[in-house]
Amino acid sequence: ALITPALRMGGHLKGSVPIDCAEATESQSGKGYRQSLVCALYGEIAYLVTARQGGVGSVDESFASALMAGRPFICLDNFRGRLDSQHLEAFLTSPGLFPARIPHRGEVMLDPRRFLLQITSNGLEATRDLVNRASICRIFKRPGYAYRDTLGEILRLQSTFQGAVFSLISAWIAAGKPRTQETRHDFREWCQTLDWIVQNLLGAAPLMEGHPAAQERASNPALSWLRSVALAVVAEGQLGESLIASALVELCDLHGLDIPGLKNPTDEDRARKQVGMLMRRVFQTTPTVELDGFQVTPGHSSVDRTAGGAIEVKTYTFTRP
């Protein structure tokens, strides 16, 4: 995220670059802070685009206004729910000039290579096409941890930190602009170039390690919901407990989580059935599911009813391996 803007603006990446997605486990984890670090490194402040619940203007219209403003960094801030924008998807893969239009003004053709997109979310849920055009960085909150003032350091020594990025790019150029054979992202030039830099110059893990799983979860409403449920299980101290569908419905109600496909949240019987359907879809091809550091394992338990005796019910256990 810190290196890509220099490669992009310097003309070293001819193809598309992904939208930089900062996804957090919960509120105030530092996702917006991380995006601010990137902007500060280049002496910029992002143009914020928000998802409005009311008022005038859609996301596409706000995005067009951001393009017209000419700011290089555009951040879709704190998005919740499903993000479905063909306009945004087309921008990320536009081979040439891209049209932007706002009310009372004519259409303007802009160069997409002059912009870098960011998005922050506590649980990204988007179309498969958009997820394939994203670079997802997940952040786990560390309560009570004393972080250093990294943003203050970058603002105070901006030229020094930017010089560090340029030195990495200079070393990559001196090495002949090598690329790896990484194929787990649709934007191959960006992916293979950054993969070589982070592994060979920074000694870090492969760039796409764990990324396909994050893409699959973000584009699958059932997995996105299950991730939110896992975080609610942690919040309620129920890790390791065998939970039945009705318990998961209660967790969703307690933490304000929407159950995908449920039209009437007050219908508890229907909610339990919908949870069962979602779980069947999740575990259709696998005995366990791992996502964002959690492992979910299905099982069975005997439950006594006041009438009819004991019955077998499905249970789900959330753990952190």
Side-chain angles (χ1 to χ4, degrees), residues 84-115:
D84 186 353
S85 171
Q86 295 180 354
H87 192 67
L88 189 60
E89 293 169 9
F91 177 85
L92 288 165
T93 52
S94 177
L97 297 179
F98 186 82
R101 185 182 184 278
I102 58 177
H104 313 299
R105 290 188 62 178
E107 190 172 79
V108 177
M109 303 301 290
L110 300 167
D111 186 354
R113 293 173 298 178
R114 307 306 302 167
F115 299 92

PDB file of all heavy atoms in Angstrom, residues 84-115:
ATOM      1  N   ASP A  84     -21.981  -2.773  -4.348  1.00  0.00           N
ATOM      2  CA  ASP A  84     -22.222  -3.244  -5.712  1.00  0.00           C
ATOM      3  C   ASP A  84     -22.256  -2.031  -6.638  1.00  0.00           C
ATOM      4  O   ASP A  84     -23.265  -1.333  -6.731  1.00  0.00           O
ATOM      5  CB  ASP A  84     -23.538  -4.026  -5.777  1.00  0.00           C
ATOM      6  CG  ASP A  84     -23.779  -4.671  -7.138  1.00  0.00           C
ATOM      7  OD1 ASP A  84     -22.986  -4.399  -8.059  1.00  0.00           O
ATOM      8  OD2 ASP A  84     -24.741  -5.428  -7.277  1.00  0.00           O
ATOM      9  N   SER A  85     -21.133  -1.759  -7.299  1.00  0.00           N
ATOM     10  CA  SER A  85     -21.044  -0.597  -8.176  1.00  0.00           C
ATOM     11  C   SER A  85     -20.315  -0.986  -9.460  1.00  0.00           C
ATOM     12  O   SER A  85     -19.097  -1.164  -9.457  1.00  0.00           O
ATOM     13  CB  SER A  85     -20.312   0.561  -7.479  1.00  0.00           C
ATOM     14  OG  SER A  85     -20.044   1.607  -8.392  1.00  0.00           O
ATOM     15  N   GLN A  86     -21.060  -1.122 -10.543  1.00  0.00           N
ATOM     16  CA  GLN A  86     -20.440  -1.405 -11.831  1.00  0.00           C
ATOM     17  C   GLN A  86     -19.573  -0.235 -12.282  1.00  0.00           C
ATOM     18  O   GLN A  86     -18.562  -0.422 -12.978  1.00  0.00           O
ATOM     19  CB  GLN A  86     -21.522  -1.689 -12.874  1.00  0.00           C
ATOM     20  CG  GLN A  86     -22.330  -2.957 -12.595  1.00  0.00           C
ATOM     21  CD  GLN A  86     -23.400  -3.205 -13.641  1.00  0.00           C
ATOM     22  OE1 GLN A  86     -23.628  -2.373 -14.519  1.00  0.00           O
ATOM     23  NE2 GLN A  86     -24.062  -4.334 -13.545  1.00  0.00           N
ATOM     24  N   HIS A  87     -19.952   0.964 -11.878  1.00  0.00           N
ATOM     25  CA  HIS A  87     -19.184   2.171 -12.202  1.00  0.00           C
ATOM     26  C   HIS A  87     -17.780   2.073 -11.604  1.00  0.00           C
ATOM     27  O   HIS A  87     -16.776   2.331 -12.287  1.00  0.00           O
ATOM     28  CB  HIS A  87     -19.924   3.388 -11.652  1.00  0.00           C
ATOM     29  CG  HIS A  87     -19.409   4.695 -12.162  1.00  0.00           C
ATOM     30  ND1 HIS A  87     -19.524   5.088 -13.475  1.00  0.00           N
ATOM     31  CD2 HIS A  87     -18.763   5.718 -11.519  1.00  0.00           C
ATOM     32  CE1 HIS A  87     -18.984   6.289 -13.636  1.00  0.00           C
ATOM     33  NE2 HIS A  87     -18.516   6.688 -12.466  1.00  0.00           N
ATOM     34  N   LEU A  88     -17.694   1.677 -10.347  1.00  0.00           N
ATOM     35  CA  LEU A  88     -16.417   1.546  -9.660  1.00  0.00           C
ATOM     36  C   LEU A  88     -15.593   0.406 -10.256  1.00  0.00           C
ATOM     37  O   LEU A  88     -14.373   0.529 -10.440  1.00  0.00           O
ATOM     38  CB  LEU A  88     -16.665   1.299  -8.167  1.00  0.00           C
ATOM     39  CG  LEU A  88     -15.456   1.341  -7.229  1.00  0.00           C
ATOM     40  CD1 LEU A  88     -14.792   2.711  -7.280  1.00  0.00           C
ATOM     41  CD2 LEU A  88     -15.898   1.032  -5.805  1.00  0.00           C
ATOM     42  N   GLU A  89     -16.243  -0.711 -10.542  1.00  0.00           N
ATOM     43  CA  GLU A  89     -15.555  -1.855 -11.133  1.00  0.00           C
ATOM     44  C   GLU A  89     -14.954  -1.482 -12.483  1.00  0.00           C
ATOM     45  O   GLU A  89     -13.811  -1.855 -12.800  1.00  0.00           O
ATOM     46  CB  GLU A  89     -16.526  -3.026 -11.289  1.00  0.00           C
ATOM     47  CG  GLU A  89     -17.006  -3.621  -9.967  1.00  0.00           C
ATOM     48  CD  GLU A  89     -18.165  -4.589 -10.164  1.00  0.00           C
ATOM     49  OE1 GLU A  89     -18.467  -4.914 -11.339  1.00  0.00           O
ATOM     50  OE2 GLU A  89     -18.760  -5.015  -9.165  1.00  0.00           O
ATOM     51  N   ALA A  90     -15.715  -0.738 -13.291  1.00  0.00           N
ATOM     52  CA  ALA A  90     -15.228  -0.336 -14.607  1.00  0.00           C
ATOM     53  C   ALA A  90     -14.033   0.608 -14.491  1.00  0.00           C
ATOM     54  O   ALA A  90     -13.082   0.538 -15.279  1.00  0.00           O
ATOM     55  CB  ALA A  90     -16.356   0.348 -15.387  1.00  0.00           C
ATOM     56  N   PHE A  91     -14.062   1.498 -13.484  1.00  0.00           N
ATOM     57  CA  PHE A  91     -12.949   2.436 -13.300  1.00  0.00           C
ATOM     58  C   PHE A  91     -11.650   1.696 -13.015  1.00  0.00           C
ATOM     59  O   PHE A  91     -10.584   2.058 -13.526  1.00  0.00           O
ATOM     60  CB  PHE A  91     -13.275   3.388 -12.145  1.00  0.00           C
ATOM     61  CG  PHE A  91     -12.160   4.355 -11.830  1.00  0.00           C
ATOM     62  CD1 PHE A  91     -12.047   5.541 -12.543  1.00  0.00           C
ATOM     63  CD2 PHE A  91     -11.233   4.076 -10.839  1.00  0.00           C
ATOM     64  CE1 PHE A  91     -11.018   6.435 -12.259  1.00  0.00           C
ATOM     65  CE2 PHE A  91     -10.201   4.963 -10.555  1.00  0.00           C
ATOM     66  CZ  PHE A  91     -10.100   6.144 -11.273  1.00  0.00           C
ATOM     67  N   LEU A  92     -11.722   0.650 -12.189  1.00  0.00           N
ATOM     68  CA  LEU A  92     -10.515  -0.062 -11.763  1.00  0.00           C
ATOM     69  C   LEU A  92      -9.839  -0.823 -12.903  1.00  0.00           C
ATOM     70  O   LEU A  92      -8.671  -1.191 -12.784  1.00  0.00           O
ATOM     71  CB  LEU A  92     -10.860  -1.024 -10.627  1.00  0.00           C
ATOM     72  CG  LEU A  92     -11.176  -0.357  -9.286  1.00  0.00           C
ATOM     73  CD1 LEU A  92     -11.848  -1.336  -8.333  1.00  0.00           C
ATOM     74  CD2 LEU A  92      -9.906   0.204  -8.658  1.00  0.00           C
ATOM     75  N   THR A  93     -10.564  -1.079 -13.985  1.00  0.00           N
ATOM     76  CA  THR A  93      -9.971  -1.807 -15.114  1.00  0.00           C
ATOM     77  C   THR A  93     -10.043  -1.004 -16.413  1.00  0.00           C
ATOM     78  O   THR A  93      -9.839  -1.564 -17.489  1.00  0.00           O
ATOM     79  CB  THR A  93     -10.689  -3.158 -15.322  1.00  0.00           C
ATOM     80  OG1 THR A  93     -12.102  -2.952 -15.412  1.00  0.00           O
ATOM     81  CG2 THR A  93     -10.393  -4.104 -14.176  1.00  0.00           C
ATOM     82  N   SER A  94     -10.328   0.279 -16.308  1.00  0.00           N
ATOM     83  CA  SER A  94     -10.456   1.100 -17.500  1.00  0.00           C
ATOM     84  C   SER A  94      -9.119   1.184 -18.248  1.00  0.00           C
ATOM     85  O   SER A  94      -8.099   1.574 -17.679  1.00  0.00           O
ATOM     86  CB  SER A  94     -10.919   2.513 -17.130  1.00  0.00           C
ATOM     87  OG  SER A  94     -10.979   3.335 -18.277  1.00  0.00           O
ATOM     88  N   PRO A  95      -9.089   0.810 -19.547  1.00  0.00           N
ATOM     89  CA  PRO A  95      -7.834   0.835 -20.306  1.00  0.00           C
ATOM     90  C   PRO A  95      -7.440   2.223 -20.797  1.00  0.00           C
ATOM     91  O   PRO A  95      -6.304   2.453 -21.222  1.00  0.00           O
ATOM     92  CB  PRO A  95      -8.144  -0.093 -21.490  1.00  0.00           C
ATOM     93  CG  PRO A  95      -9.613   0.075 -21.708  1.00  0.00           C
ATOM     94  CD  PRO A  95     -10.223   0.291 -20.342  1.00  0.00           C
ATOM     95  N   GLY A  96      -8.391   3.152 -20.764  1.00  0.00           N
ATOM     96  CA  GLY A  96      -8.109   4.506 -21.245  1.00  0.00           C
ATOM     97  C   GLY A  96      -8.833   5.540 -20.423  1.00  0.00           C
ATOM     98  O   GLY A  96      -9.040   5.354 -19.217  1.00  0.00           O
ATOM     99  N   LEU A  97      -9.211   6.641 -21.031  1.00  0.00           N
ATOM    100  CA  LEU A  97      -9.896   7.700 -20.314  1.00  0.00           C
ATOM    101  C   LEU A  97     -11.255   7.219 -19.809  1.00  0.00           C
ATOM    102  O   LEU A  97     -11.944   6.438 -20.464  1.00  0.00           O
ATOM    103  CB  LEU A  97     -10.080   8.920 -21.225  1.00  0.00           C
ATOM    104  CG  LEU A  97      -8.791   9.595 -21.702  1.00  0.00           C
ATOM    105  CD1 LEU A  97      -9.125  10.770 -22.617  1.00  0.00           C
ATOM    106  CD2 LEU A  97      -7.938  10.052 -20.528  1.00  0.00           C
ATOM    107  N   PHE A  98     -11.614   7.705 -18.619  1.00  0.00           N
ATOM    108  CA  PHE A  98     -12.846   7.258 -17.960  1.00  0.00           C
ATOM    109  C   PHE A  98     -13.798   8.444 -17.827  1.00  0.00           C
ATOM    110  O   PHE A  98     -13.392   9.535 -17.410  1.00  0.00           O
ATOM    111  CB  PHE A  98     -12.511   6.692 -16.575  1.00  0.00           C
ATOM    112  CG  PHE A  98     -13.680   6.068 -15.870  1.00  0.00           C
ATOM    113  CD1 PHE A  98     -14.071   4.772 -16.159  1.00  0.00           C
ATOM    114  CD2 PHE A  98     -14.403   6.789 -14.914  1.00  0.00           C
ATOM    115  CE1 PHE A  98     -15.148   4.194 -15.514  1.00  0.00           C
ATOM    116  CE2 PHE A  98     -15.480   6.224 -14.266  1.00  0.00           C
ATOM    117  CZ  PHE A  98     -15.857   4.908 -14.568  1.00  0.00           C
ATOM    118  N   PRO A  99     -15.089   8.259 -18.149  1.00  0.00           N
ATOM    119  CA  PRO A  99     -16.034   9.375 -18.074  1.00  0.00           C
ATOM    120  C   PRO A  99     -16.537   9.630 -16.653  1.00  0.00           C
ATOM    121  O   PRO A  99     -16.862   8.699 -15.922  1.00  0.00           O
ATOM    122  CB  PRO A  99     -17.186   8.915 -18.977  1.00  0.00           C
ATOM    123  CG  PRO A  99     -17.160   7.416 -18.870  1.00  0.00           C
ATOM    124  CD  PRO A  99     -15.710   7.048 -18.728  1.00  0.00           C
ATOM    125  N   ALA A 100     -16.595  10.875 -16.267  1.00  0.00           N
ATOM    126  CA  ALA A 100     -17.153  11.272 -14.969  1.00  0.00           C
ATOM    127  C   ALA A 100     -18.121  12.422 -15.204  1.00  0.00           C
ATOM    128  O   ALA A 100     -17.832  13.350 -15.971  1.00  0.00           O
ATOM    129  CB  ALA A 100     -16.047  11.690 -14.007  1.00  0.00           C
ATOM    130  N   ARG A 101     -19.254  12.358 -14.504  1.00  0.00           N
ATOM    131  CA  ARG A 101     -20.258  13.403 -14.680  1.00  0.00           C
ATOM    132  C   ARG A 101     -20.966  13.668 -13.359  1.00  0.00           C
ATOM    133  O   ARG A 101     -21.292  12.759 -12.621  1.00  0.00           O
ATOM    134  CB  ARG A 101     -21.292  12.983 -15.732  1.00  0.00           C
ATOM    135  CG  ARG A 101     -22.306  14.078 -16.061  1.00  0.00           C
ATOM    136  CD  ARG A 101     -23.329  13.598 -17.071  1.00  0.00           C
ATOM    137  NE  ARG A 101     -24.244  14.684 -17.455  1.00  0.00           N
ATOM    138  CZ  ARG A 101     -25.302  15.051 -16.733  1.00  0.00           C
ATOM    139  NH1 ARG A 101     -25.591  14.415 -15.606  1.00  0.00           N
ATOM    140  NH2 ARG A 101     -26.072  16.051 -17.133  1.00  0.00           N
ATOM    141  N   ILE A 102     -21.176  14.927 -13.035  1.00  0.00           N
ATOM    142  CA  ILE A 102     -21.926  15.335 -11.858  1.00  0.00           C
ATOM    143  C   ILE A 102     -23.070  16.240 -12.316  1.00  0.00           C
ATOM    144  O   ILE A 102     -23.032  16.774 -13.429  1.00  0.00           O
ATOM    145  CB  ILE A 102     -21.027  16.062 -10.829  1.00  0.00           C
ATOM    146  CG1 ILE A 102     -20.363  17.288 -11.456  1.00  0.00           C
ATOM    147  CG2 ILE A 102     -19.983  15.116 -10.267  1.00  0.00           C
ATOM    148  CD1 ILE A 102     -19.535  18.087 -10.481  1.00  0.00           C
ATOM    149  N   PRO A 103     -24.107  16.411 -11.475  1.00  0.00           N
ATOM    150  CA  PRO A 103     -25.269  17.218 -11.879  1.00  0.00           C
ATOM    151  C   PRO A 103     -24.893  18.628 -12.315  1.00  0.00           C
ATOM    152  O   PRO A 103     -23.998  19.257 -11.731  1.00  0.00           O
ATOM    153  CB  PRO A 103     -26.133  17.242 -10.608  1.00  0.00           C
ATOM    154  CG  PRO A 103     -25.768  15.984  -9.892  1.00  0.00           C
ATOM    155  CD  PRO A 103     -24.301  15.783 -10.163  1.00  0.00           C
ATOM    156  N   HIS A 104     -25.558  19.089 -13.358  1.00  0.00           N
ATOM    157  CA  HIS A 104     -25.429  20.450 -13.882  1.00  0.00           C
ATOM    158  C   HIS A 104     -24.079  20.723 -14.539  1.00  0.00           C
ATOM    159  O   HIS A 104     -23.713  21.877 -14.757  1.00  0.00           O
ATOM    160  CB  HIS A 104     -25.667  21.493 -12.766  1.00  0.00           C
ATOM    161  CG  HIS A 104     -26.871  21.218 -11.935  1.00  0.00           C
ATOM    162  ND1 HIS A 104     -28.145  21.180 -12.461  1.00  0.00           N
ATOM    163  CD2 HIS A 104     -27.003  20.932 -10.608  1.00  0.00           C
ATOM    164  CE1 HIS A 104     -29.014  20.894 -11.494  1.00  0.00           C
ATOM    165  NE2 HIS A 104     -28.341  20.740 -10.364  1.00  0.00           N
ATOM    166  N   ARG A 105     -23.339  19.653 -14.825  1.00  0.00           N
ATOM    167  CA  ARG A 105     -22.081  19.823 -15.537  1.00  0.00           C
ATOM    168  C   ARG A 105     -21.968  18.743 -16.604  1.00  0.00           C
ATOM    169  O   ARG A 105     -22.497  17.641 -16.452  1.00  0.00           O
ATOM    170  CB  ARG A 105     -20.878  19.742 -14.597  1.00  0.00           C
ATOM    171  CG  ARG A 105     -20.748  20.929 -13.661  1.00  0.00           C
ATOM    172  CD  ARG A 105     -19.454  20.896 -12.891  1.00  0.00           C
ATOM    173  NE  ARG A 105     -18.284  20.968 -13.765  1.00  0.00           N
ATOM    174  CZ  ARG A 105     -17.028  21.003 -13.302  1.00  0.00           C
ATOM    175  NH1 ARG A 105     -16.802  20.945 -11.997  1.00  0.00           N
ATOM    176  NH2 ARG A 105     -16.012  21.073 -14.130  1.00  0.00           N
ATOM    177  N   GLY A 106     -21.252  19.020 -17.654  1.00  0.00           N
ATOM    178  CA  GLY A 106     -21.080  18.051 -18.717  1.00  0.00           C
ATOM    179  C   GLY A 106     -20.123  16.941 -18.328  1.00  0.00           C
ATOM    180  O   GLY A 106     -19.406  17.019 -17.323  1.00  0.00           O
ATOM    181  N   GLU A 107     -20.096  15.890 -19.123  1.00  0.00           N
ATOM    182  CA  GLU A 107     -19.225  14.749 -18.872  1.00  0.00           C
ATOM    183  C   GLU A 107     -17.771  15.123 -19.140  1.00  0.00           C
ATOM    184  O   GLU A 107     -17.454  15.818 -20.106  1.00  0.00           O
ATOM    185  CB  GLU A 107     -19.645  13.585 -19.769  1.00  0.00           C
ATOM    186  CG  GLU A 107     -18.978  12.275 -19.441  1.00  0.00           C
ATOM    187  CD  GLU A 107     -19.581  11.121 -20.222  1.00  0.00           C
ATOM    188  OE1 GLU A 107     -19.235  10.960 -21.407  1.00  0.00           O
ATOM    189  OE2 GLU A 107     -20.426  10.386 -19.649  1.00  0.00           O
ATOM    190  N   VAL A 108     -16.904  14.648 -18.262  1.00  0.00           N
ATOM    191  CA  VAL A 108     -15.475  14.928 -18.373  1.00  0.00           C
ATOM    192  C   VAL A 108     -14.729  13.607 -18.476  1.00  0.00           C
ATOM    193  O   VAL A 108     -15.039  12.659 -17.755  1.00  0.00           O
ATOM    194  CB  VAL A 108     -14.961  15.728 -17.150  1.00  0.00           C
ATOM    195  CG1 VAL A 108     -13.460  15.943 -17.238  1.00  0.00           C
ATOM    196  CG2 VAL A 108     -15.681  17.060 -17.055  1.00  0.00           C
ATOM    197  N   MET A 109     -13.728  13.516 -19.350  1.00  0.00           N
ATOM    198  CA  MET A 109     -12.915  12.308 -19.499  1.00  0.00           C
ATOM    199  C   MET A 109     -11.646  12.459 -18.675  1.00  0.00           C
ATOM    200  O   MET A 109     -10.901  13.438 -18.828  1.00  0.00           O
ATOM    201  CB  MET A 109     -12.574  12.090 -20.972  1.00  0.00           C
ATOM    202  CG  MET A 109     -13.793  12.001 -21.885  1.00  0.00           C
ATOM    203  SD  MET A 109     -14.922  10.668 -21.429  1.00  0.00           S
ATOM    204  CE  MET A 109     -13.944   9.245 -21.901  1.00  0.00           C
ATOM    205  N   LEU A 110     -11.413  11.482 -17.782  1.00  0.00           N
ATOM    206  CA  LEU A 110     -10.275  11.550 -16.858  1.00  0.00           C
ATOM    207  C   LEU A 110      -9.370  10.336 -17.025  1.00  0.00           C
ATOM    208  O   LEU A 110      -9.813   9.255 -17.424  1.00  0.00           O
ATOM    209  CB  LEU A 110     -10.781  11.620 -15.416  1.00  0.00           C
ATOM    210  CG  LEU A 110     -11.676  12.817 -15.074  1.00  0.00           C
ATOM    211  CD1 LEU A 110     -12.355  12.602 -13.741  1.00  0.00           C
ATOM    212  CD2 LEU A 110     -10.869  14.109 -15.058  1.00  0.00           C
ATOM    213  N   ASP A 111      -8.111  10.507 -16.664  1.00  0.00           N
ATOM    214  CA  ASP A 111      -7.125   9.428 -16.746  1.00  0.00           C
ATOM    215  C   ASP A 111      -7.123   8.651 -15.426  1.00  0.00           C
ATOM    216  O   ASP A 111      -6.707   9.196 -14.391  1.00  0.00           O
ATOM    217  CB  ASP A 111      -5.738  10.010 -17.010  1.00  0.00           C
ATOM    218  CG  ASP A 111      -4.686   8.932 -17.245  1.00  0.00           C
ATOM    219  OD1 ASP A 111      -5.003   7.732 -17.087  1.00  0.00           O
ATOM    220  OD2 ASP A 111      -3.543   9.284 -17.563  1.00  0.00           O
ATOM    221  N   PRO A 112      -7.552   7.387 -15.400  1.00  0.00           N
ATOM    222  CA  PRO A 112      -7.600   6.602 -14.153  1.00  0.00           C
ATOM    223  C   PRO A 112      -6.229   6.401 -13.514  1.00  0.00           C
ATOM    224  O   PRO A 112      -6.148   6.141 -12.312  1.00  0.00           O
ATOM    225  CB  PRO A 112      -8.197   5.257 -14.610  1.00  0.00           C
ATOM    226  CG  PRO A 112      -8.855   5.527 -15.904  1.00  0.00           C
ATOM    227  CD  PRO A 112      -8.068   6.619 -16.546  1.00  0.00           C
ATOM    228  N   ARG A 113      -5.164   6.535 -14.302  1.00  0.00           N
ATOM    229  CA  ARG A 113      -3.819   6.310 -13.764  1.00  0.00           C
ATOM    230  C   ARG A 113      -3.391   7.408 -12.805  1.00  0.00           C
ATOM    231  O   ARG A 113      -2.374   7.263 -12.126  1.00  0.00           O
ATOM    232  CB  ARG A 113      -2.821   6.196 -14.920  1.00  0.00           C
ATOM    233  CG  ARG A 113      -3.025   4.954 -15.785  1.00  0.00           C
ATOM    234  CD  ARG A 113      -2.129   4.979 -16.999  1.00  0.00           C
ATOM    235  NE  ARG A 113      -2.440   6.124 -17.863  1.00  0.00           N
ATOM    236  CZ  ARG A 113      -1.777   6.420 -18.989  1.00  0.00           C
ATOM    237  NH1 ARG A 113      -0.778   5.654 -19.375  1.00  0.00           N
ATOM    238  NH2 ARG A 113      -2.131   7.468 -19.714  1.00  0.00           N
ATOM    239  N   ARG A 114      -4.164   8.481 -12.738  1.00  0.00           N
ATOM    240  CA  ARG A 114      -3.829   9.588 -11.833  1.00  0.00           C
ATOM    241  C   ARG A 114      -4.501   9.451 -10.479  1.00  0.00           C
ATOM    242  O   ARG A 114      -4.414  10.355  -9.640  1.00  0.00           O
ATOM    243  CB  ARG A 114      -4.243  10.927 -12.464  1.00  0.00           C
ATOM    244  CG  ARG A 114      -3.703  11.176 -13.861  1.00  0.00           C
ATOM    245  CD  ARG A 114      -2.198  11.037 -13.915  1.00  0.00           C
ATOM    246  NE  ARG A 114      -1.524  11.940 -12.993  1.00  0.00           N
ATOM    247  CZ  ARG A 114      -0.240  11.853 -12.661  1.00  0.00           C
ATOM    248  NH1 ARG A 114       0.488  10.869 -13.158  1.00  0.00           N
ATOM    249  NH2 ARG A 114       0.290  12.710 -11.828  1.00  0.00           N
ATOM    250  N   PHE A 115      -5.176   8.318 -10.252  1.00  0.00           N
ATOM    251  CA  PHE A 115      -5.916   8.150  -8.997  1.00  0.00           C
ATOM    252  C   PHE A 115      -5.585   6.811  -8.346  1.00  0.00           C
ATOM    253  O   PHE A 115      -5.287   5.820  -9.026  1.00  0.00           O
ATOM    254  CB  PHE A 115      -7.431   8.215  -9.258  1.00  0.00           C
ATOM    255  CG  PHE A 115      -7.897   9.518  -9.842  1.00  0.00           C
ATOM    256  CD1 PHE A 115      -7.976   9.680 -11.225  1.00  0.00           C
ATOM    257  CD2 PHE A 115      -8.233  10.579  -9.024  1.00  0.00           C
ATOM    258  CE1 PHE A 115      -8.409  10.879 -11.771  1.00  0.00           C
ATOM    259  CE2 PHE A 115      -8.661  11.779  -9.570  1.00  0.00           C
ATOM    260  CZ  PHE A 115      -8.747  11.940 -10.944  1.00  0.00           C
TER     261      PHE A 115
END
